[in-house]
Amino acid sequence: MTSSDLENEKSSANLYGMSLAALGIVFGDIGTSPLYTLKTVLALAGGQPDKAAILGLLSLIVWTLIIVTSVKYVSLAMRVDNDGEGGILALMSLLGVKMKQRPVIVAMGLMGAALIYGDGAITPAISVLSALEGLEISLPHVTPYVVPCAVAILAILFALQPRGTAHIGKLFGPVMALWFVTIAFLGISGIMQNLSVLVALNPAYAALYLFNHGATGFFVLGGVFLCVTGAEALYADMGHFGAKPIRLSWTLIVFPSLLLNYAGQSALVLEGAPTSDNSFFRLCPSALLIPLVILATIATIIASQSIITGAFSMTRQAIQLGWLPRLQIKQTSAQGYGQIYVSAVNWILMMVTIGLTIAFRKSDNLASAYGIAVSATMLVTTVLLYVAMREIWHWSLLRAGMVAGLLLTVDSAFFTANLSKIAEGGYVPITLAIFVYAIMQIWHKGVEVVSRNLPVIPIDTFMASIEEQKIARVPGTAVFMTRTLSDAPPIMVWHVTHNRALHERLFVLTVITESVPWVKNSTRLSVQQIAPNFWRARARYGFMERPDIPALLRQSRKQGCTIGLDDVTYYVGHETILPTNDQKGMAYWMEIIFAAMQRNSSHVSDYFRLPTDSLVEIGRQIAI
């Protein structure tokens, strides 16, 4: 075997390994959707539809999977990556750079991200509830215990988050592979009972159902949409696995398994199976029902874990891009950058998720609240994809308009149908999304106002004042962190004002987060000497990276900077925001919220990995 053959074999093995891992992380949400989708659709359609209606409903599900997931996300969206990263924030950043940060692009991207938080609180609740409700078929007396068990499982899941998933996460892929094989075989067993269900592959059945059922057919789309609620994860998790493994898993395993299972459930209904309970569990022989419920519960826990992990990752991206305050982020494994834990996000999600479980009590009730946030996010993604078609792919107006027009028609229909759910619970994810969006905007605006209120002194003027006032110069190196790119760092000005001394060697560092996930190490740092023993440096990081300042100092030595590394003191500012109600910067109520976020954000020293034994924090009050 040649070296080329060995390399190809290793590449193939890695591709299959990544594809298996993707089953556990990427496809948990969409993979467990057969637990509740058809049941919800049948309820919206009126209970026990006739044959034509059942085939029409199945056809709607099939073609929704094809158009939304296979065409929009797998074929189109995954071709637009921000240095390998996907997801709505990465897409927003990429297009923001291309179009010079147009406010409408930023606003749409942020609202899409906020909507994902709203949906993320519902996914664990509806998934775990729908799995446990399978017990009610063979053990009706367990019904009163379904909600307490769901609450216990969710509480344990969130409580285990600080430990990370590095060890158990290796089992996610094989378990989900078993899940997909199981639902595929269950689907085949159902199809064998009524092969006529296969004609639903013809999209004419979907069109006829919508045409013949008027308002009912339209509102049914809100339930049909549940079959693709996890499609956004395919795009968002692209940076973890790459496009090829995700496409391979979807094409060979996930998509066929979903089609077979939905067809099998529909075949049972055609044969007269009752629609009052869950048609998914009707596919299973009674002797194997308990093992299936256990497997379904594990699958839904994995799906919930993926949603929680995704919320952590999106939070870090938002922090890096300057849209959320610094939160304490814990790396739970050295094996993967995505293995993180964000305490504030975890406990807020837990309270909301458990609250929804207790309030709605049944997956049927939660289905009314589910989907509206994702449908809105998908609508935003389609608009941004249209911009990408024009600005990045340089498609003609006609070509981009035709493709985006088809997708917008589909997305708009689903979004409009889901709007009918607002009064029945859809207000929950919308309210959460509005809250998160407001927090992002207030934080970003507050940071801008604070920057405008900082003292601005040209560096030459400041250094001249040091000589004029005969400020003492003490041995050692001082590193000042600052947002300013050319003027004297405010923290340096305050240090001299209060201490009447300054180190002999000065290193002023500005860290900039770029709108790309990763920055090459060779282009990360630029250093300029602006006075004897005085250097100004600018470090660039991607929004998926975490700055390491001591490492930057070592790197600066290679660029001619002669600072000593054995006697370094780091200076950072710790601001206290004072709302003033002068209406010059922000509304007073926004100033109060921003000040509260500032007080509770993690210290900049933690974010920049600064050694605590050589760190000086200078408190300062800033009126806005």
Side-chain angles (χ1 to χ4, degrees):
M1 182 178 291
T2 65
S3 60
S4 178
D5 292 334
L6 284 172
E7 191 67 30
N8 290 335
E9 188 174 311
K10 289 180 180 178
S11 178
S12 297
N14 184 59
L15 175 61
Y16 293 131
M18 293 292 284
S19 299
L20 179 62
L23 287 178
I25 303 299
V26 179
F27 297 104
D29 191 1
I30 197 170
T32 53
S33 60
L35 283 166
Y36 46 80
T37 297
L38 189 62
K39 178 180 68 168
T40 303
V41 169
L42 291 172
L44 291 171
Q48 196 76 39
D50 57 24
K51 180 176 181 179
I54 293 169
L55 293 176
L57 294 171
L58 175 59
S59 188
L60 281 170
I61 292 174
V62 169
W63 283 95
T64 297
L65 286 167
I66 293 172
I67 295 173
V68 174
T69 311
S70 295
V71 175
K72 176 181 173 180
Y73 283 100
V74 175
S75 300
L76 289 175
M78 293 180 70
R79 290 173 56 194
V80 189
D81 67 280
N82 192 345
D83 196 19
E85 291 292 330
I88 197 162
L89 279 182
L91 181 59
M92 177 200 76
S93 302
L94 177 63
L95 296 178
V97 171
K98 291 284 183 181
M99 304 182 70
K100 298 181 180 180
Q101 296 293 342
R102 288 189 184 178
V104 66
I105 296 295
V106 174
M108 292 179 67
L110 292 178
M111 179 52 73
L115 286 163
I116 292 175
Y117 280 106
D119 182 74
I122 299 178
T123 297
I126 191 173
S127 299
V128 174
L129 273 175
S130 59
L132 293 175
E133 285 168 357
L135 291 171
E136 296 176 348
I137 295 177
S138 60
L139 302 171
H141 61 277
V142 305
T143 300
Y145 305 103
V146 168
V147 172
C149 287
V151 169
I153 290 172
L154 291 169
I156 293 172
L157 174 64
F158 282 101
L160 291 176
Q161 292 305 309
R163 298 179 178 270
T165 59
H167 300 295
I168 193 173
K170 296 176 181 178
L171 300 175
F172 286 0
V175 170
M176 289 308 296
L178 175 61
W179 168 255
F180 285 115
V181 170
T182 301
I183 67 172
F185 275 106
L186 290 174
I188 291 172
S189 68
I191 292 171
M192 297 304 295
Q193 298 185 41
N194 196 322
L195 292 174
S196 66
V197 77
L198 296 176
V199 301
L201 290 171
N202 185 345
Y205 285 90
L208 285 173
Y209 180 85
L210 293 176
F211 181 78
N212 292 329
H213 289 78
T216 300
F218 178 74
F219 290 122
V220 158
L221 291 177
V224 171
F225 182 76
L226 296 178
C227 73
V228 290
T229 49
E232 189 77 25
L234 276 71
Y235 187 33
D237 287 324
M238 187 169 65
H240 293 291
F241 300 98
K244 283 186 178 180
I246 293 175
R247 287 189 176 120
L248 185 66
S249 295
W250 171 255
T251 304
L252 296 184
I253 300 175
V254 181
F255 184 45
S257 299
L258 293 176
L259 289 185
L260 289 171
N261 193 267
Y262 283 122
Q265 291 187 53
S266 301
L268 281 189
V269 177
L270 281 175
E271 287 297 296
T275 59
S276 57
D277 52 31
N278 198 324
S279 57
F280 174 85
F281 290 104
R282 287 283 176 186
L283 287 171
C284 182
S286 57
L288 298 176
L289 184 58
I290 301 299
L292 178 62
V293 170
I294 294 173
L295 178 60
T297 303
I298 296 173
T300 56
I301 290 172
I302 292 174
S304 301
Q305 177 62 58
S306 301
I307 290 292
I308 296 167
T309 302
F312 293 162
S313 296
M314 191 164 63
T315 300
R316 178 166 57 185
Q317 288 186 32
I319 292 171
Q320 298 283 57
L321 291 170
W323 291 101
L324 283 177
R326 289 183 301 272
L327 300 175
Q328 190 68 43
I329 297 177
K330 174 185 176 183
Q331 196 77 31
T332 58
S333 171
Q335 299 174 355
Y337 184 78
Q339 295 285 337
I340 60 173
Y341 168 70
V342 185
S343 177
V345 174
N346 184 66
W347 300 122
I348 291 173
L349 270 181
M350 186 190 79
M351 288 188 292
V352 175
T353 300
I354 291 178
L356 290 172
T357 304
I358 296 172
F360 286 85
R361 303 193 65 81
K362 291 179 67 67
S363 61
D364 291 347
N365 300 333
L366 269 172
S368 298
Y370 197 42
I372 188 169
V374 179
S375 62
T377 304
M378 288 185 175
L379 190 61
V380 170
T381 300
T382 297
V383 175
L384 295 181
L385 280 176
Y386 170 75
V387 178
M389 293 172 193
R390 297 283 292 147
E391 299 292 329
I392 298 176
W393 298 341
H394 304 295
W395 283 12
S396 68
L397 182 62
L398 177 62
R399 184 183 181 188
M402 289 179 63
V403 174
L406 171 63
L407 298 177
L408 276 174
T409 300
V410 174
D411 288 336
S412 299
F414 283 127
F415 176 66
T416 307
N418 273 295
L419 286 178
S420 64
K421 299 179 178 181
I422 288 182
E424 302 172 16
Y427 61 87
V428 173
I430 294 296
T431 302
L432 289 172
I434 292 173
F435 174 77
V436 173
Y437 180 79
I439 290 296
M440 288 179 170
Q441 289 288 3
I442 290 171
W443 176 257
H444 192 72
K445 177 68 174 177
V447 171
E448 289 182 345
V449 172
V450 167
S451 297
R452 290 201 302 266
N453 282 279
L454 292 175
V456 177
I457 302 176
I459 196 69
D460 293 338
T461 302
F462 176 74
M463 294 307 295
S465 70
I466 296 295
E467 296 294 331
E468 293 172 4
Q469 299 176 37
K470 300 186 183 303
I471 299 296
R473 304 298 294 269
V474 297
T477 300
V479 177
F480 293 93
M481 308 296 301
T482 181
R483 300 189 189 98
T484 62
L485 298 176
S486 58
D487 299 310
I491 190 67
M492 181 188 288
V493 175
W494 277 315
H495 168 62
V496 171
T497 300
H498 292 289
N499 296 316
R500 310 300 298 172
L502 191 63
H503 288 70
E504 290 179 345
R505 294 183 296 276
L506 306 174
F507 190 88
V508 175
L509 177 63
T510 301
V511 175
I512 300 172
T513 301
E514 302 283 0
S515 295
V516 295
W518 312 97
V519 171
K520 292 181 180 178
N521 199 51
S522 59
T523 62
R524 184 177 310 284
L525 184 67
S526 60
V527 181
Q528 177 186 10
Q529 186 170 6
I530 58 177
N533 292 323
F534 191 163
W535 291 267
R536 178 180 286 276
R538 185 180 302 183
R540 301 166 55 245
Y541 283 90
F543 59 78
M544 291 296 290
E545 298 178 287
R546 182 182 176 187
D548 187 342
I549 305 307
L552 284 177
L553 294 184
R554 292 190 294 271
Q555 186 175 345
S556 70
R557 301 271 296 179
K558 300 177 182 178
Q559 297 190 25
C561 180
T562 59
I563 60 171
L565 299 179
D566 54 343
D567 185 14
V568 177
T569 304
Y570 299 90
Y571 288 88
V572 298
H574 186 69
E575 295 113 351
T576 299
I577 305 301
L578 299 177
T580 59
N581 199 22
D582 60 7
Q583 302 297 322
K584 291 182 179 179
M586 303 166 63
Y588 186 61
W589 65 271
M590 294 174 66
E591 292 177 354
I592 294 175
I593 295 174
F594 175 72
M597 287 192 285
Q598 177 69 26
R599 285 195 305 270
N600 291 283
S601 64
S602 65
H603 286 193
V604 67
S605 55
D606 297 329
Y607 178 71
F608 286 126
R609 304 184 189 181
L610 300 178
T612 56
D613 58 350
S614 55
L615 172 68
V616 175
E617 285 191 346
I618 298 179
R620 46 185 175 170
Q621 292 184 335
I622 300 177
I624 60 173

